[in-house]
Amino acid sequence: GFEDGTFRPNELVTREQLIVVLYNLAQFQGIPIENLGRISTFSDSIDISAWSAYAMQWGIGNGIIGGKEDNMLDPKGGATRAEISATITRYSNLED
């Protein structure tokens, strides 16, 4: 949910929200979460929300999410269906 207690099921999912969901799932499933990448290497790292920063580091460190054009992570950008599919596929490979 959101800070105001709403769930907002009809809103688009951002890239950082997607990674937080998968990070939380990894914790629940007992998948190691210590492998972290550096968000500071991305030109828009300042745009990463504080609540998602650790999860984004985890996603980068495990190759679940990466940069886009111009070395941008685009954390607040909407995740496309293709990005969601690729991200979930990469996550599922962590379990192997």
Side-chain angles (χ1 to χ4, degrees), residues 1-95:
F2 289 84
E3 62 280 348
D4 63 359
T6 59
F7 184 63
R8 304 179 197 170
N10 295 322
E11 284 196 15
L12 296 176
V13 174
T14 66
R15 289 168 49 88
E16 66 185 348
Q17 289 170 337
L18 174 61
I19 296 303
V20 168
V21 168
L22 293 177
Y23 172 79
N24 289 337
L25 180 60
Q27 283 186 303
F28 177 77
Q29 293 180 320
I31 295 172
I33 55 170
E34 292 79 28
N35 188 24
L36 303 177
R38 293 183 43 204
I39 57 178
S40 62
T41 62
F42 294 93
S43 61
D44 60 346
S45 62
I46 194 164
D47 295 334
I48 297 171
S49 300
W51 55 264
S52 72
Y54 193 86
M56 291 295 277
Q57 291 175 45
W58 169 82
I60 293 164
N62 287 283
I64 296 172
I65 192 168
K68 297 170 99 174
E69 299 164 0
D70 299 325
N71 195 38
M72 295 182 69
L73 196 52
D74 193 21
K76 299 202 179 347
T80 66
R81 290 177 186 212
E83 288 172 327
I84 292 171
S85 177
T87 303
I88 290 172
T89 298
R90 290 183 205 118
Y91 174 84
S92 68
N93 290 333
L94 289 179
E95 300 173 339

